[in-house]
Amino acid sequence: MEIGIRVLGTVALEYDGRLDLLGSAKERLIVAALALDAGRPVSLDTLIHRLWEDTPPAKPRAGLHTYAARIRRRLRAIGSGEPLVQRAHTYLLDIRPEQVDCHRFEQLAARARTLADDADDGAALDLLREAAALWRGEPLAGLSGPWVESVRATLSQKQLAAHLTRFGIELRRGHFAELVPDVAALLDRHPGDETLAAQLMTATYGCGRQADALQVYETVRRHLREHLGADPGEALARLHHLILTRAPLGELLPRREPRVATPHTLPRHAELVGRQEELTTIIRAAGRAPGRSAGTVIALQAISGMAGVGKTLLALHAARGLEPLFPDGQLHLDLRAHSPGQDPLSTRAALTALLRMLGIAPGDLPDELDDLIGLWRTLLSRRRAVIVLDDVADPDHLRPLLPGPSPSLMIVTSRRRLSGLPGVRPVLLDVLPEEDAVALFRELADEPHAAPDREVTAIVRLCGRLPLAIELAARRLASRPSWTAGHLLHRLTHGHGRLREIRDGTQEIARAFEVSYHTLDAEERAVFRILGLQLGPDYDAFTTAALADLPLDRTERVLEGLLDAHLVQEPAPERYTTHDLLGEYSRMLASSELAAAEREQALHRLIDFYVQASDAADRLIAPRRPRPNLPRHVSAYRKPLWNSPADARRWLVAECSGLIAAERHCRANGRPHEAALLAGSLAGFLHEERYSAHTQDMHLAAAAHWRAAGEPAAEVYALINLGTALSRSGHYDRALVTLGRALGTARGIDDTTVAEVRHARGVLRWNLGRLPEALADQEEALALRTRSGDPWQIARSENNLGITHLYLGNHKVADEHFHSALVRFRAVGDSHEEAHVLNNLSDLALRIGQKESARHLLQQARNILATSGTTAEHAMAQVNLANTMNASTELNEMLDLYQDSLTSFRRLGDRRNASITLHGMGSALYSAARFREAAEHHTRALELARSIGATHEEAQALHGLGAAEHRLGRAASAAAHLTAAVAAADRTGAADEAARARAALAEVRAEFSVPD
């Protein structure tokens, strides 16, 4: 049985004279979403977006499949077969478009328009009445959401276009009085539509009501002035003059345009894959333009995007989709701004081509350019056409081709940003999402489902998800029957470079980039070339100025020009990046067009800048941090002017990859001094951000360099940095050896240097759970710092002593040290370290059962860290906050905080804090009586603690695991783990932890009669 689908009203299935209104709003929404694309596949992501917009449920695909299954059952029940088809990542409603009322309406309206143009008004009216009968209320009635509103607006505009066609026919037939109420009602809904206003004025004047006709004009004029700041267009003003002068009615009636003036010159094009959001944006903007009288221009920008991003295809697809709304023609003209071997089309040539498309004979074309422009604007003043101007060079190239006030729509594509033009609505086009990129490759390859997903995904990533590159790669594979996707992937990764491999028989991706490159001026080309030498994945104007040897203000202007040309991108304010393939093209240009000496000089300038800027940032972030005073070559290039330590930290975060690459480049290319300087400047930041695994080699090399250079103080600090990096990575034994070397060298320098090594070794021994040894190191460091009288350094030692006493169970002594440190840090104005002490005080409060006090102290710490904290600090603060919460009432919130922190620690490679977090999760689950899950989390915490030799964390995990096993009835295992917990706590000197573990062990033995 053939079904029909209604969307012009309440969404429903129609069959055998009956209606099925479906079971829920979501089912109606899915049916509507598929019916509007009847016969075409719709991606799952598109359907999810249409159903839930930006707030999908936790498992949106599962929900979508559930609703689809219900719809499929309904279709089977009414005997319609299996029209709802699921394919790879898509659903398809396999019916003819005319089975959907909105598509049927469009077909009838289009046929009516054709008949009216052929002077068959009677037949046209019959079709329009049939089309109007399909409307049974507001489209998609009862549904809501941005996508629904967009569809509703588009369908309403198509209904308006059909009304306008009918009204024009009725006016030509002299049906004035009966037409006035319908036109007046519609004008009330569209008060700025000048075509409707003209039709109402004509109908009213045809009834002999001149004053009423003039009042319509005045009402519309006032509306346009108030809402758009514009006067009525030339056509409506002319009509007003005719009525005012009581012209014969025949002069007011709409004239039938000749058939030749309805051109359809859009070239054939491929089907669009993806881009639904951008397409919706264009169609929605076209449908919402008030009265279509303002000559709206939609500049498709990044649809001006980089070469090969798919600007033209999107423009053509949009133009096809808008045909019912713009029935007076579809024009396409390639302005050839980037056509190899051809000059851009001149204004005169472009206007001549466009006017010829509109049916103007060559002999009727004016000679003067101004007259050509005037004729073009006159012809568009009354036409509802869509014009695609493809590959515009710049705003000056486009400006003479813009219409005046017109109900037409102009879609423009360009590789440059088009600004300074009236009514421009930019639609920025980026590369394809990965799923759409894979779908495009499979569609264009001969065997779309044969290649493994892994290989196709790798290929489209190597193509930078750029549509043209994907098309070239897919067609190359399709043209070689003996090749597989794996072979193509091998060539892309092991051949002569991607730019040479991404091609087919007639085209290559590098050629598309080359055309864009040659449209730049000389300075822009020079900067684009040298961007291939940038060491980081993104960059700013400061690093670019150093590389290019340009003043900062000129560099900023050049980057703006490259941004406008879409040869660079700006993912964050004043941070730039280059698309993957364009980056390779830039590197190729740097290699082929710059001498080796030029490349090396540019990198030297960049590294000199990095050395100066990283040192300045480090000193602003931590002005009191001990560091050796080492001479630096002064860079000639401006450093950023940071207003606060937080600004400097943000710069380091942004430049981190480039700075690490610069240090590595210096080590590999005979510049050990600059490498060592960079390592020292970056040490504090990289340790705080938990980049320890990346820094061991740099600090090892720095220590070797300073030893060879005879700089013992610098060597000691490099060894301290190396020891800290090894400790943070869990290599405690190597860290102890390294700090032992540092202490031996420091004793020959001064007390300050010795104190710094003792401080670092005390922290390391605390991590190892060797608390008495840690206490001895920290007390020695405090004694040395007390002699120096530096309050900040004394506060550091006081804080560390507080932590050590806290773990030893000496709560009163710990409290005294923490408060002493707090007073000193506040006195010197170091709020960052103050936050660390507040965090430690909250830990103390929690251990002695003062949860509310702990939470209050922790909130103070978090308020400070909100502006200055690192990722690791924020994560640890979240763990501590979760520790203060009540598992019986706040378990879900606790687990969310723990999980978020665990993710951060894993990403940072911080196994010790990951173990602490897992232990916290296990304790929370234990308090909620979820003992099996608690045991699992404590087991994972134990594995991590043992992997790095963190004895204190090992003791805590063993205790938690034994307690959970006790509740699960595993007496022997519980006793074994609690016995091990006691032993580990005793080894570390953690008396409180040992006492708690002994009490838990005694409880197990008493309950289960487990022998000692």
Side-chain angles (χ1 to χ4, degrees):
M1 179 186 299
E2 184 170 283
I3 62 166
I5 297 178
R6 293 185 178 185
V7 298
L8 301 177
T10 302
V11 177
L13 304 177
E14 189 174 16
Y15 62 98
D16 197 21
R18 288 180 287 177
L19 288 180
D20 183 343
L21 298 179
L22 301 164
S24 68
K26 282 291 188 284
E27 288 177 48
R28 292 195 293 277
L29 193 51
I30 292 177
V31 169
L34 292 168
L36 286 162
D37 285 292
R40 293 181 297 182
V42 183
S43 74
L44 298 183
D45 285 345
T46 296
L47 287 170
I48 289 167
H49 178 73
R50 291 176 181 179
L51 259 66
W52 291 289
E53 295 296 328
D54 297 324
T55 56
K59 296 181 178 179
R61 294 198 175 197
L64 176 61
H65 294 322
T66 299
Y67 289 124
R70 293 177 189 170
I71 295 166
R72 195 177 281 116
R73 285 195 295 269
R74 286 180 178 272
L75 292 170
R76 286 197 198 106
I78 63 178
S80 65
E82 296 283 349
L84 183 55
V85 180
Q86 183 178 357
R87 296 177 179 168
H89 309 300
T90 66
Y91 276 107
L92 165 73
L93 192 57
D94 191 12
I95 60 174
R96 301 187 315 279
E98 57 266 28
Q99 292 175 248
V100 183
D101 58 0
C102 67
H103 295 309
R104 175 71 177 156
F105 168 80
E106 291 176 31
Q107 292 170 356
L108 291 169
R111 285 168 54 196
R113 175 72 187 189
T114 301
L115 290 169
D117 287 343
D118 289 336
D120 193 349
D121 286 345
L125 283 175
D126 289 341
L127 289 178
L128 289 168
R129 292 187 188 104
E130 183 183 346
L134 295 171
W135 285 74
R136 302 170 180 90
E138 180 183 64
L140 281 65
L143 301 179
S144 61
W147 178 77
V148 170
E149 291 301 323
S150 171
V151 170
R152 192 172 286 145
T154 300
L155 292 174
S156 297
Q157 285 290 333
K158 292 175 180 179
Q159 184 187 33
L160 172 60
H163 282 312
L164 293 173
T165 301
R166 180 173 73 83
F167 294 159
I169 295 171
E170 298 279 18
L171 287 172
R172 284 198 298 270
R173 304 184 104 191
H175 300 163
F176 303 125
E178 55 265 55
L179 204 56
V180 168
D182 289 348
V183 184
L186 204 53
L187 185 59
D188 284 342
R189 289 161 49 195
H190 304 276
D193 193 303
E194 295 186 35
T195 303
L196 271 175
Q199 291 177 333
L200 182 56
M201 289 167 66
T202 302
T204 308
Y205 186 68
C207 296
R209 294 156 51 188
Q210 181 197 32
D212 289 344
L214 294 173
Q215 182 59 48
V216 172
Y217 177 84
E218 183 59 29
T219 300
V220 172
R221 186 192 69 79
R222 188 163 54 250
H223 177 86
L224 292 174
R225 292 289 294 173
E226 290 175 358
H227 292 85
L228 300 177
D231 288 322
E234 181 183 339
L236 197 63
R238 175 181 172 277
L239 184 64
H240 174 255
H241 177 73
L242 290 173
I243 293 173
L244 196 62
T245 58
R246 294 185 179 275
L249 183 59
E251 293 186 26
L252 277 68
L253 294 177
R255 294 179 175 84
R256 200 186 307 275
E257 297 289 346
R259 292 290 290 133
V260 71
T262 310
H264 294 274
T265 65
L266 297 184
R268 294 185 62 183
H269 56 85
E271 281 301 310
L272 190 67
V273 175
R275 304 298 192 202
Q276 291 303 309
E277 183 178 345
E278 294 90 344
L279 189 62
T280 299
T281 299
I282 298 165
I283 292 174
R284 183 183 300 167
R288 287 182 178 174
R292 303 295 325 145
S293 63
T296 301
V297 179
I298 299 180
L300 307 181
Q301 289 199 352
I303 295 180
S304 107
M306 62 181 291
V309 81
K311 303 177 291 293
T312 298
L313 180 59
L314 179 58
L316 294 175
H317 200 81
R320 293 274 188 217
L322 287 165
E323 182 178 4
L325 198 57
F326 298 93
D328 294 336
Q330 298 172 296
L331 288 72
H332 171 266
L333 184 64
D334 183 359
L335 294 177
R336 303 194 318 226
H338 299 88
S339 295
Q342 299 185 68
D343 293 329
L345 215 59
S346 68
T347 300
R348 179 182 294 277
L351 286 168
T352 298
L354 290 166
L355 290 167
R356 290 293 305 278
M357 291 178 200
L358 289 177
I360 305 301
D364 294 333
L365 291 171
D367 294 327
E368 298 298 325
L369 180 60
D370 286 347
D371 292 336
L372 283 169
I373 293 172
L375 178 58
W376 167 244
R377 291 178 176 171
T378 298
L379 289 174
L380 288 186
S381 66
R382 296 174 58 194
R383 283 170 172 77
R384 289 174 178 266
V386 57
I387 303 107
V388 177
L389 295 182
D390 202 6
D391 197 16
V392 173
D394 52 41
D396 291 337
H397 196 195
L398 175 62
R399 196 170 280 110
L401 307 179
L402 295 179
S406 167
S408 288
L409 168 70
M410 187 169 282
I411 300 177
V412 180
T413 77
S414 177
R415 291 191 191 182
R416 283 191 171 270
R417 294 173 186 261
L418 301 176
S419 56
L421 296 168
V424 170
R425 295 175 185 267
V427 176
L428 303 177
L429 199 62
D430 203 349
V431 296
L432 287 169
E434 188 167 284
E435 184 175 338
D436 290 339
V438 168
L440 177 62
F441 183 89
R442 289 193 179 281
E443 181 173 307
L444 295 174
D446 264 358
E447 296 182 356
H449 302 294
D453 284 342
R454 176 184 54 79
E455 292 179 353
V456 173
T457 300
I459 289 170
V460 300
R461 286 176 180 171
L462 288 167
C463 291
R465 295 184 282 120
L466 186 66
L468 177 59
I470 293 167
E471 178 182 349
L472 293 175
R475 295 201 187 285
R476 191 173 185 207
L477 176 62
S479 68
R480 288 164 170 76
S482 64
W483 283 22
T484 63
H487 181 74
L488 175 62
L489 178 60
H490 180 81
R491 289 185 67 94
L492 289 170
T493 52
H494 296 84
H496 301 291
R498 285 179 295 168
L499 295 181
R500 293 180 63 182
E501 293 295 338
I502 299 176
R503 67 180 193 271
D504 64 10
T506 61
Q507 192 177 11
E508 58 184 86
I509 194 69
R511 182 60 173 155
F513 297 158
E514 183 182 354
V515 175
S516 291
Y517 173 69
H518 284 295
T519 63
L520 303 174
D521 64 34
E523 193 167 58
E524 289 172 335
R525 289 198 298 273
V527 171
F528 179 74
R529 277 196 305 270
I530 214 155
L531 285 175
L533 302 178
Q534 284 280 12
L535 295 172
D538 56 1
Y539 43 88
D540 63 8
F542 293 95
T543 59
T544 306
L547 262 180
D549 197 17
L550 287 174
L552 184 64
D553 58 346
R554 277 173 59 193
T555 304
E556 289 174 335
R557 286 198 296 272
V558 171
L559 284 171
E560 283 292 324
L562 295 175
L563 189 64
D564 286 343
H566 291 280
L567 288 169
V568 302
Q569 299 165 319
E570 190 179 17
E574 298 181 20
R575 296 292 307 176
Y576 303 92
T577 188
T578 312
H579 180 270
D580 196 19
L581 292 177
L582 276 170
E584 187 159 328
Y585 180 63
S586 176
R587 290 189 290 276
M588 182 187 78
L589 291 173
S591 177
S592 62
E593 298 188 18
L594 294 177
E598 290 180 279
R599 296 196 297 273
E600 193 58 31
Q601 287 167 8
L603 285 169
H604 283 187
R605 292 192 298 268
L606 175 62
I607 287 164
D608 285 346
F609 166 79
Y610 269 150
V611 167
Q612 299 298 317
S614 61
D615 180 59
D618 179 50
R619 290 177 186 275
L620 181 58
I621 293 167
R624 298 180 181 86
R625 180 182 291 147
R627 52 174 65 83
N629 291 315
L630 298 165
R632 281 170 165 77
H633 171 70
V634 177
S635 171
Y637 300 97
R638 282 174 54 186
K639 299 186 291 292
L641 297 175
W642 302 296
N643 295 320
S644 66
D647 287 345
R649 182 176 294 280
R650 279 190 286 272
W651 182 82
L652 286 172
V653 169
E655 288 292 344
C656 184
S657 295
L659 288 161
I660 291 173
E663 187 276 337
R664 192 177 296 122
H665 174 87
C666 290
R667 263 192 288 135
N669 290 275
R671 300 190 68 181
H673 185 73
E674 287 83 357
L677 289 173
L678 281 168
S681 296
L682 295 174
F685 165 77
L686 293 176
H687 291 329
E688 289 166 357
E689 293 291 333
R690 297 302 197 272
Y691 279 87
S692 303
H694 301 276
T695 60
Q696 293 167 31
D697 288 344
M698 69 167 62
H699 295 313
L700 185 63
H705 169 72
W706 295 128
R707 177 181 286 266
E711 294 279 358
E715 180 191 358
V716 168
Y717 282 101
L719 288 169
I720 291 172
N721 292 333
L722 176 58
T724 303
L726 289 166
S727 174
R728 292 262 169 94
S729 299
H731 301 301
Y732 293 136
D733 291 342
R734 290 169 57 197
L736 275 174
V737 172
T738 298
L739 291 177
R741 280 178 53 201
L743 187 59
T745 304
R747 288 195 176 104
I749 302 173
D750 56 33
D751 285 353
T752 300
T753 311
V754 172
E756 200 60 32
V757 181
R758 286 279 200 173
H759 181 104
R761 194 171 69 175
V763 172
L764 172 58
R765 284 172 162 170
W766 175 80
N767 280 328
L768 282 166
R770 292 158 61 170
L771 298 182
E773 297 173 57
L775 186 64
D777 271 328
Q778 297 296 354
E779 287 176 337
E780 176 64 20
L782 177 60
L784 292 169
R785 286 168 172 171
T786 301
R787 285 205 294 270
S788 74
D790 184 333
W792 184 79
Q793 292 282 28
I794 293 170
R796 289 178 72 208
S797 287
E798 294 271 22
N799 187 38
N800 278 10
L801 277 165
I803 296 170
T804 309
H805 280 293
L806 175 64
Y807 277 73
L808 284 166
N810 305 326
H811 296 155
K812 185 175 183 301
V813 179
D815 184 69
E816 291 171 356
H817 281 298
F818 286 145
H819 277 94
S820 176
L822 193 63
V823 168
R824 294 177 193 275
F825 281 135
R826 283 174 172 167
V828 299
D830 193 331
S831 60
H832 194 78
E833 291 296 338
E834 177 189 346
H836 292 165
V837 181
L838 289 168
N839 185 70
N840 295 333
L841 278 167
S842 77
D843 193 7
L844 171 60
L846 190 64
R847 286 171 182 263
I848 60 178
Q850 298 177 358
K851 273 198 172 185
E852 283 307 312
S853 176
R855 190 176 294 205
H856 176 69
L857 288 162
L858 188 59
Q859 191 55 54
Q860 292 181 59
R862 294 184 80 200
N863 289 341
I864 295 171
L865 293 174
T867 57
S868 63
T870 66
T871 302
E873 288 168 338
H874 284 294
M876 201 65 237
Q878 286 192 163
V879 170
N880 291 337
L881 177 61
N883 290 341
T884 68
M885 297 168 76
N886 190 330
S888 62
T889 58
E890 301 173 286
L891 180 63
N892 289 336
E893 293 89 338
M894 293 174 72
L895 293 177
D896 286 344
L897 288 169
Y898 285 130
Q899 186 58 55
D900 189 48
S901 296
L902 183 61
T903 300
S904 295
F905 290 135
R906 283 173 172 165
R907 188 173 66 250
L908 295 168
D910 189 339
R911 288 182 285 173
R912 177 179 171 274
N913 279 322
S915 174
I916 291 171
T917 306
L918 285 165
H919 171 69
M921 296 174 84
S923 298
L925 290 162
Y926 179 91
S927 298
R930 290 163 60 173
F931 303 120
R932 191 177 303 279
E933 293 171 78
E936 291 171 358
H937 282 79
H938 286 305
T939 299
R940 289 160 61 196
L942 178 61
E943 290 169 354
L944 277 177
R946 282 176 169 167
S947 73
I948 58 176
T951 310
H952 183 75
E953 283 69 37
E954 179 184 351
Q956 287 185 316
L958 284 164
H959 182 175
L961 178 57
E965 289 174 329
H966 175 197
R967 298 305 177 197
L968 291 168
R970 304 170 187 168
S973 181
H977 284 130
L978 287 168
T979 300
V982 171
D986 282 341
R987 283 201 309 275
T988 67
D992 280 2
E993 180 60 42
R996 287 193 294 270
R998 281 192 176 91
L1001 178 60
E1003 186 178 346
V1004 171
R1005 286 172 171 166
E1007 182 175 344
F1008 294 100
S1009 301
V1010 177
D1012 292 353

